[in-house]
Amino acid sequence: MARGCAPGVIIADLELSITICSWNAREDLRACLASLRDRANEARFETIVIENNSEDGSGDMVAQEFPEVRLFRQGVNLGFCGGHNVGVGHMLGKHWFCLNSDTIVHEGALRRMIDCLEANSEIAILGPKLLNTDGSLQYSVRRFPNPVAALFRNTLLGRLWPSNPFTRTYLMKDFDHDAPIDADWVSGAAFMMSRRALDSVGTFDPEYYMFCEDVDLCFRCHRAGFRVHYLPTAHVTHHIGRSTDKAPNRMIVRFHKSMYLFFKRNQIRDFAPLARPLMLFVAASGLTLRASAFIIKNLIDRLGRRLRR
């Protein structure tokens, strides 16, 4: 689905369409679908799984164990954005719930999120409270990224100065995550989007493939005059990184490419026209160096593990 498009068919009594894009995540996907099956009495929803050419039998598992799920098998890996956009193109529900395969939806989450969207027509995107596997808070509601925060986020500088204000501000550690709040953006691991916003703004920009697509979508919603909101009474556990950890270096490259695309698409306009070429060069150089440092570290760690065997 192209940027700016939205689904056009709705079944009148279907409140929600849940799309899950899965790649080689059979066991996590099974647990996620089981949690949604347990939520069947909370709302009138459909579940759509986009099986992104996995090699672990995920599609067969869904077909055999969850016949109520609408399954779309892809012959190629369309990426996170492409997969979800396929699902949105087939959705029949009023609102859209974008959900990772490595999540567990807790009791009451769907009902509370739907009710919040229905009561607040100005909200485009609604994020639940995400929890780590051990039940601790996952910082999933954030301010828009900036180059300074990128220097400290998950880098050597950040380890040397873990309490730096740049990372704290980006992750919104300066507010109580038990309180609802409007935010710049919420994580694409789990968010609900209203039909009104879908019709106006559309879905993910497929140029992102994966990473930063959620930041971009929230940015576009703000630009269209909508709100992005965080609802802490709705809980979803997110076992972060289960799929991306299977190809770490490739994911590092994709992440930094997406960061550059977001900067080029949305933030370069904040600079004077004559300064924009220089800022694009600085951003590209900085992100390349950052990605290279992560890849080199991974290679050193891998070599160290081999030497210890």
Side-chain angles (χ1 to χ4, degrees):
M1 177 169 292
R3 184 178 181 182
C5 295
V9 178
I10 307 175
I11 293 181
D13 63 345
L14 201 58
E15 297 176 284
L16 186 68
S17 291
I18 302 171
T19 66
I20 302 170
C21 180
S22 181
W23 178 68
N24 290 328
R26 182 182 59 194
E27 298 310 312
D28 284 326
L29 179 59
R30 175 184 280 125
C32 177
L33 293 176
S35 76
L36 290 174
R37 181 179 277 171
D38 290 342
R39 309 282 86 83
N41 293 329
E42 286 187 15
R44 298 181 301 279
F45 66 88
E46 64 170 348
T47 303
I48 300 171
V49 168
I50 304 89
E51 213 301 292
N52 245 348
N53 198 31
S54 297
E55 300 172 348
D56 64 351
S58 296
D60 292 340
M61 181 276 295
V62 174
Q64 294 167 12
E65 300 180 25
F66 299 92
E68 72 274 19
V69 169
R70 298 175 66 197
L71 174 64
F72 294 89
R73 301 180 193 243
Q74 306 304 308
V76 295
N77 189 341
L78 300 176
F80 184 87
C81 297
H84 277 291
N85 286 352
V86 166
V88 173
H90 290 280
M91 65 178 272
L92 302 174
K94 182 177 182 182
H95 304 304
W96 172 37
F97 191 29
C98 175
L99 191 64
N100 267 26
S101 57
D102 56 357
T103 58
I104 299 293
V105 178
H106 292 248
E107 183 178 359
L110 296 181
R111 185 73 265 156
R112 291 174 187 133
M113 294 179 76
I114 292 171
D115 289 347
C116 184
L117 277 187
E118 291 288 336
N120 299 276
S121 61
E122 71 278 11
I123 293 178
I125 290 179
L126 186 64
K129 175 186 281 189
L130 292 190
L131 304 174
N132 292 310
T133 304
D134 62 2
S136 62
L137 175 69
Q138 193 171 113
Y139 289 99
S140 60
V141 49
R142 304 176 181 181
R143 295 185 174 93
F144 286 126
N146 62 76
V148 179
L151 288 174
F152 287 88
R153 175 75 172 144
N154 295 326
T155 65
L156 178 60
L157 286 175
R159 292 189 185 93
L160 294 174
W161 189 9
S163 60
N164 72 84
F166 312 107
T167 301
R168 291 184 61 82
T169 298
Y170 171 65
L171 295 177
M172 294 183 66
K173 291 186 175 182
D174 53 348
F175 104 100
D176 180 4
H177 283 71
D178 288 330
I181 192 173
D182 281 355
D184 285 352
W185 68 283
V186 295
S187 171
F191 71 75
M192 198 172 289
M193 189 173 184
S194 72
R195 167 63 63 158
R196 183 166 176 251
L198 269 173
D199 289 340
S200 175
V201 178
T203 57
F204 292 133
D205 185 335
E207 282 197 46
Y208 283 92
Y209 190 83
M210 65 187 304
F211 300 120
C212 295
E213 71 291 320
D214 42 10
V215 189
D216 177 83
L217 183 57
C218 289
F219 189 94
R220 286 156 47 206
C221 286
H222 281 292
R223 196 163 57 196
F226 290 102
R227 292 164 53 199
V228 174
H229 194 68
Y230 167 69
L231 187 68
T233 56
H235 295 174
V236 174
T237 293
H238 178 212
H239 307 296
I240 193 167
R242 291 286 183 85
S243 290
T244 55
D245 285 351
K246 295 171 183 176
N249 289 342
R250 194 191 319 165
M251 296 303 106
I252 288 170
V253 172
R254 290 197 183 281
F255 174 79
H256 287 83
K257 282 185 175 180
S258 293
M259 285 288 292
Y260 178 75
L261 180 60
F262 176 77
F263 179 77
K264 181 180 178 181
R265 280 276 179 84
N266 301 307
Q267 293 179 316
I268 193 64
R269 67 185 66 187
D270 294 337
F271 297 91
L274 289 177
R276 291 174 186 174
L278 175 61
M279 295 310 301
L280 287 172
F281 173 77
V282 170
S285 301
L287 289 169
T288 299
L289 288 172
R290 190 177 188 270
S292 299
F294 283 127
I295 291 172
I296 290 170
K297 180 183 180 299
N298 283 347
L299 294 174
I300 293 173
D301 290 345
R302 185 186 303 171
L303 178 61
R305 287 193 296 269
R306 288 179 179 175
L307 293 175
R308 288 192 293 269
R309 288 177 183 173

